[in-house]
Amino acid sequence: MCPERGHGTNPDQLGHVQLGFNSDASLKGKKCPPALAGLLVLQNTKSFSLLFFSPGRAVNSQQLDHWASPAGLYFRWWVKKTCIEKKTAFIDLLCAVPLQQIYGQPSLWTLGWYWWGVFCRWQLNPGLYHYKTVIANQFTVCLWCKGQTIYQQVLSVERPSSLQSWNWGYCGHYAFYHALYPRALLVYELPGQQVVLTRRQVSPVIPHDYKDSSLPVGVFIWEVENGRDEDVEVSIMFSLQNGPGAKAAGSGGHWNEPFTFHKDGQRVAGVLLHHCPPVNPFTLAISAREKAGTGVTHVTAFDPTGLGGEVWQDLLQDGRLDSPPGKSRLTEKGEVTAAAVCASCRVPAHGHKTLEFALAWDMPCVHFGSKEKLHLRRYTRFFGSKGDAAPALSHYALTHYEEWEKKIEAWQNPILENSQLPSWYKSALFNELYFLTDGGTIWMEVPPDCCAEDLQGPAGAGLSHLLPVLREYGRFAYLEGQEYRMYNTYDVHFYASFALIMLWPKLQISLQYDIAVTVVNEDVQPRQYLICGQTAQVKMKNVVPHDTGDPGDEPWQRVNAYLMHNTADWKDLNLKFVLQVYRDYYLTRDSLYLQDMWPVCQAVMESELKFDTDNDGLIENSGFADQTYDAWAVHGASAYCGGLWLAAVCMMCKMAEVLGDTEIQQKYLDILNKGKEAFERMLWNGKYYNYDSSGSDTSSSIMSDQCAGQWFLGACGLDRGDSEVRGGAAWCGCGKMGPVAGGKQQQAKEKVGSSNNPYPKEQALSWEGFNRGLWKRSCFWRCTSWMSCQPPQEEGGM
């Protein structure tokens, strides 16, 4: 395992591999963790070898300088970032989180939950994940009949070393999990008790809703079915730790307090858990709904690291908790505290009752890693930014979840009831949407005193409706992945953007405005890129950025956290911006948006035209990994980038027509006619389009993402007639190659072409790109296109 880094790491825990870099004096004499004693060194651009260094062996600067640049440069950068600057790497190749299929329904935009019954990881600080099972976060059931407790069980299969007074180890044979995002079900058949519990979890993820979908809340509805011939008292206890663990407890000063909130005849009671670190303090709230026949009790504070006997016996005695008044004491340094809320009701023989719980968190003001700017979350527009909103949020959730479920069902039922769609497809359509809220997602307000100049950047973007859009709908961002920590990575957002434009179109428009601002601005700060070793500025003017920043830094203010390649030379980013602009206009008919984006589209296309080196109307790739598939070299004309280029040129013609710009329309029409002829001549081999025109061993490979441009045209009604840029038979060799995202024709026939990689088999099998390429990239728009069975909603201008 890789030791924890950057937060007071004990030097004695580090190995004795001494690093001495001539090129960077700040790293001289630093120590390297033992996990890095085996160092992967790139001997050249095409082969790898593994050099092992045992603890105690010195690595001198001459050796490091001899190492070829990509691995050596990454290692130097990694050590400087993690050991010197005490920060986390935006892509950590050396201490990756092990892949585990463990997560169930993500909730609250910030908390994850194991499908076997425990909360498992935290993302309270924006974009930064802590993969930790907090064992005190549990639901426990108590059955009380004829004046005594007949059954009490933690509803988790875990058998932890703490809280050993609790009855753990629920038999998983009696539990059943179902998920259809944004809801999930867990059914518990209590063995020998003739009682069935169904826990329904609901998060307010509601299409075309820009208020409730921003709320940091989740609801747990417990349906209790009593199959006994006698009444039974049923209590559900919800326990929660104050924060994610002892490390987060820091210097202490955390505390809990009970609360009640009464409004419109509805009463909610629970406990607030105030977590008070120096940066980004927050309050958690666990609560239950009081109503006729349902009582709510609580324990304000208990030690989740101890045996837990006091809490367990309290519940065991009568199915209630003692409900002590007043606040808990402040915790000491490193001390952890927890709280519990219990809802109880009498369920008649062969009857049914419902108990309702809410979990909310209130972190209204946040700093990113640089701590330079204070940001307000979206929900503060509706619930305030003073840090006292948790009771109101809890009450709102418990009194509105039924309305949320009706809206979710109205959205999902047309698809679920469509007999022509297979079950796996329906599941994928909705369950794969989880990443919109679970991808380190942030939804921030623009400050009330913000002016247009603050947002336009030094270059003055000239976007007339930028400020009104961001003021009304805020700023939205999500990570490329939980281990690829970059916001709004644009080459892959291109595929996932269909979910936003169809379900929350205003968020896609807002995101596009943020991208447009970065296009016309630049960052001249020089930096070294880790693959090529060359130094270039962070962001060039009039090109689309790779991403809008690292949550460990200052997103939106400093973009292009990705420093593996200089993406100013990538061939697909600019094209993907143009394609999304017209797609967004086609689906929203927002003419103000189109007018604002038109000059930006012209700027990025002018930047792209320099890649048409022979003036044949078709751009050429430059012989290295100059596109989103950043480990694949491409030479000359290519089916993927060429297809995107032709689609973007086609959409430039269409946008010019809509806006009445006849000069630009004719310019790109001429380019389109030349480019289509060149594309057919250079890439069509009689059966399908080649990967590229280089004539190399990989040139005749098949890449499904060559269809991305055509698919975007199809999504905008431009894939027929004069606007069609290629023959429909191009799909992976007339459909004969199978589900190949990238592979050789012969491989496909032998059913080994599922590698998403035109390179040799041993390289292909080492990369996880198949799922990423075939599903997320190439097919995602087809999935999301089913998410609305109605025509595109015309929401009007901004």
Side-chain angles (χ1 to χ4, degrees):
M1 295 180 61
C2 182
E4 296 289 342
R5 318 179 293 279
H7 300 282
T9 304
N10 186 346
D12 296 335
Q13 295 175 346
L14 300 179
H16 300 285
V17 178
Q18 300 293 323
L19 305 180
F21 297 140
N22 286 336
S23 58
D24 195 335
S26 66
L27 298 180
K28 286 185 179 294
K30 297 298 178 182
K31 294 184 178 181
C32 176
L36 302 182
L39 177 64
L40 186 66
V41 178
L42 192 59
Q43 298 277 34
N44 54 59
T45 58
K46 294 185 178 180
S47 65
F48 292 85
S49 68
L50 191 61
L51 304 183
F52 289 94
F53 296 94
S54 60
R57 174 176 176 177
V59 182
N60 61 45
S61 59
Q62 184 178 5
Q63 289 174 307
L64 287 170
D65 289 340
H66 179 70
W67 292 346
S69 58
L73 287 173
Y74 179 84
F75 182 65
R76 296 181 187 196
W77 171 83
W78 186 93
V79 171
K80 184 176 182 180
K81 176 67 68 173
T82 61
C83 299
I84 307 302
E85 299 177 7
K86 306 299 183 183
K87 296 180 179 179
T88 55
F90 77 97
I91 297 178
D92 196 332
L93 302 177
L94 300 176
C95 291
V97 176
L99 177 63
Q100 301 180 64
Q101 190 177 7
I102 55 177
Y103 302 127
Q105 160 87 352
S107 63
L108 311 187
W109 301 64
T110 186
L111 300 178
W113 183 77
Y114 281 162
W115 52 266
W116 61 68
V118 294
F119 291 87
C120 58
R121 51 143 183 70
W122 302 66
Q123 192 252 138
L124 288 164
N125 286 313
L128 303 178
Y129 280 84
H130 298 278
Y131 298 88
K132 179 179 177 61
T133 297
V134 181
I135 203 64
N137 299 349
Q138 299 291 342
F139 286 99
T140 300
V141 61
C142 175
L143 304 183
W144 209 64
C145 188
K146 296 181 179 179
Q148 62 180 355
T149 297
I150 59 173
Y151 182 84
Q152 187 161 302
Q153 173 72 50
V154 181
L155 296 173
S156 170
V157 299
E158 295 280 354
R159 296 180 181 274
S161 58
S162 58
L163 299 175
Q164 291 188 355
S165 293
W166 295 18
N167 185 23
W168 296 92
Y170 183 84
C171 180
H173 178 74
Y174 296 99
F176 309 89
Y177 176 74
H178 312 268
L180 190 67
Y181 187 76
R183 297 188 290 175
L185 288 176
L186 253 176
V187 180
Y188 301 88
E189 297 177 353
L190 303 185
Q193 304 304 315
Q194 296 179 279
V195 173
V196 177
L197 306 177
T198 300
R199 196 195 85 177
R200 189 166 79 255
Q201 179 176 325
V202 181
S203 294
V205 180
I206 305 165
H208 304 283
D209 181 296
Y210 299 92
K211 176 188 174 182
D212 290 4
S213 294
S214 74
L215 302 182
V217 296
V219 179
F220 305 93
I221 306 99
W222 288 86
E223 307 284 353
V224 184
E225 299 176 51
N226 179 16
R228 303 166 70 98
D229 294 329
E230 55 192 353
D231 295 356
V232 62
E233 290 273 351
V234 178
S235 298
I236 302 290
M237 181 179 74
F238 183 12
S239 55
L240 191 77
Q241 182 172 293
N242 187 333
K247 185 176 180 181
S251 58
H254 317 301
W255 53 286
N256 307 335
E257 64 174 330
F259 78 93
T260 58
F261 194 95
H262 188 276
K263 183 180 179 181
D264 299 330
Q266 301 287 336
R267 181 181 173 90
V268 168
V271 179
L272 303 176
L273 298 88
H274 302 288
H275 199 78
C276 307
V279 179
N280 298 342
F282 61 90
T283 296
L284 296 164
I286 52 175
S287 61
R289 189 176 186 177
E290 289 186 339
K291 55 188 178 181
T294 299
V296 179
T297 54
H298 70 270
V299 168
T300 307
F302 69 91
D303 180 6
T305 64
L307 295 176
E310 184 177 350
V311 176
W312 189 259
Q313 290 301 319
D314 187 6
L315 182 65
L316 188 68
Q317 183 176 356
D318 58 2
R320 304 288 192 276
L321 298 175
D322 280 347
S323 299
K327 305 175 182 179
S328 71
R329 63 174 179 81
L330 300 182
T331 60
E332 301 292 335
K333 181 178 180 179
E335 182 184 9
V336 182
T337 186
V341 170
C342 177
S344 308
C345 67
R346 174 175 291 272
V347 185
H350 302 284
H352 172 275
K353 282 293 182 72
T354 301
L355 299 172
E356 302 150 300
F357 292 85
L359 172 59
W361 59 270
D362 183 23
M363 183 193 283
C365 308
V366 297
H367 285 98
F368 291 107
S370 72
K371 304 180 181 67
E372 295 176 27
K373 292 186 175 183
L374 186 67
H375 301 265
L376 297 180
R377 295 187 187 267
R378 167 72 175 178
Y379 74 89
T380 60
R381 166 180 292 226
F382 313 107
F383 286 87
S385 58
K386 297 180 180 179
D388 58 359
L393 284 165
S394 302
H395 184 277
Y396 188 89
L398 286 168
T399 56
H400 285 77
Y401 78 86
E402 292 169 303
E403 177 185 341
W404 297 341
E405 290 198 279
K406 290 178 182 178
K407 292 180 178 179
I408 292 170
E409 289 168 2
W411 160 40
Q412 295 184 337
N413 282 347
I415 298 161
L416 300 177
E417 295 169 1
N418 187 337
S419 60
Q420 296 181 349
L421 299 177
S423 297
W424 67 263
Y425 190 74
K426 298 173 183 178
S427 172
L429 282 177
F430 296 109
N431 286 332
E432 292 303 312
L433 283 174
Y434 79 95
F435 199 73
L436 284 178
T437 60
D438 193 42
T441 309
I442 53 174
W443 192 353
M444 300 300 189
E445 284 284 278
V446 171
D449 58 351
C450 182
C451 63
E453 291 72 19
D454 297 331
L455 300 172
Q456 301 275 7
L463 303 169
S464 61
H465 290 83
L466 169 67
L467 183 58
V469 168
L470 297 190
R471 271 187 175 166
E472 181 63 25
Y473 298 103
R475 298 178 117 168
F476 182 85
Y478 62 113
L479 300 177
E480 177 174 349
Q482 292 176 11
E483 291 192 280
Y484 276 39
R485 212 182 59 232
M486 296 160 284
Y487 275 127
N488 293 341
T489 301
Y490 202 70
D491 53 327
V492 290
H493 171 69
F494 172 73
Y495 307 92
S497 65
F498 276 94
L500 273 188
I501 194 59
M502 297 183 72
L503 302 178
W504 293 274
K506 303 302 186 184
L507 294 185
Q508 167 66 9
I509 297 297
S510 169
L511 189 155
Q512 285 285 88
Y513 268 102
D514 275 328
I515 294 294
V517 168
T518 68
V519 167
V520 299
N521 285 278
E522 63 180 343
D523 184 346
V524 299
Q525 181 73 23
R527 70 177 177 188
Q528 188 177 40
Y529 289 91
L530 302 182
I531 298 299
C532 65
Q534 297 176 354
T535 298
Q537 67 185 65
V538 172
K539 167 67 174 61
M540 295 280 290
K541 188 174 183 178
N542 292 338
V543 298
V544 172
H546 175 273
D547 57 81
T548 55
D550 178 356
D553 188 23
E554 192 62 56
W556 294 303
Q557 181 174 324
R558 284 187 289 277
V559 303
N560 275 352
Y562 180 83
L563 47 68
M564 309 302 286
H565 293 275
N566 180 6
T567 59
D569 296 324
W570 279 15
K571 308 303 184 290
D572 53 353
L573 287 173
N574 296 329
L575 308 175
K576 290 178 175 181
F577 179 81
V578 173
L579 293 174
Q580 288 184 66
V581 166
Y582 182 74
R583 188 275 317 273
D584 297 346
Y585 167 74
Y586 175 78
L587 292 177
T588 65
R589 300 299 173 180
D590 186 346
S591 58
L592 298 177
Y593 166 74
L594 184 62
Q595 291 169 16
D596 266 353
M597 296 296 143
W598 180 233
V600 186
C601 288
Q602 293 182 69
V604 299
M605 289 298 282
E606 283 297 320
S607 295
E608 195 76 11
L609 275 169
K610 70 177 180 289
F611 300 128
D612 181 9
T613 57
D614 55 7
N615 196 34
D616 64 351
L618 188 65
I619 62 170
E620 288 83 38
N621 292 87
S622 302
F624 60 95
D626 57 353
Q627 30 68 47
T628 182
Y629 295 91
D630 53 4
W632 299 0
V634 191
H635 302 256
S638 70
Y640 166 59
C641 292
L644 290 174
W645 164 255
L646 292 178
V649 171
C650 177
M651 290 190 178
M652 287 295 288
C653 296
K654 192 65 178 178
M655 286 187 282
E657 177 186 339
V658 171
L659 295 170
D661 194 335
T662 56
E663 181 180 351
I664 295 297
Q665 182 182 9
Q666 188 59 51
K667 172 183 176 179
Y668 282 99
L669 185 59
D670 293 342
I671 294 173
L672 181 61
N673 290 331
K674 288 197 302 181
K676 289 166 67 173
E677 188 277 330
F679 190 87
E680 295 291 326
R681 172 171 45 83
M682 300 180 72
L683 295 169
W684 181 250
N685 64 18
K687 295 181 179 179
Y688 57 87
Y689 292 98
N690 287 332
Y691 174 70
D692 66 22
S693 64
S694 66
S696 66
D697 291 342
T698 61
S699 176
S700 60
S701 301
I702 307 161
M703 183 177 182
S704 68
D705 214 8
Q706 66 177 260
C707 298
Q710 183 73 6
W711 285 346
F712 253 76
L713 290 174
C716 301
L718 297 176
D719 59 340
R720 295 291 183 269
D722 293 339
S723 60
E724 185 177 13
V725 300
R726 60 200 300 176
W731 167 243
C732 286
C734 307
K736 298 177 182 178
M737 299 300 113
V740 186
K744 306 259 309 187
Q745 180 182 6
Q746 186 62 31
Q747 287 178 327
K749 290 180 178 179
E750 296 171 358
K751 298 185 180 180
V752 297
S754 60
S755 61
N756 198 15
N757 195 334
Y759 290 95
K761 184 176 179 181
E762 62 272 13
Q763 293 183 35
L765 296 178
S766 69
W767 197 54
E768 52 75 39
F770 175 65
N771 287 333
R772 184 185 185 196
L774 184 58
W775 176 254
K776 180 178 179 181
R777 295 168 181 255
S778 302
C779 299
F780 194 72
W781 84 268
R782 290 182 177 271
C783 296
T784 53
S785 67
W786 282 95
M787 291 180 184
S788 173
C789 294
Q790 303 299 321
Q793 296 190 13
E794 297 188 11
E795 299 193 25
M798 294 295 168

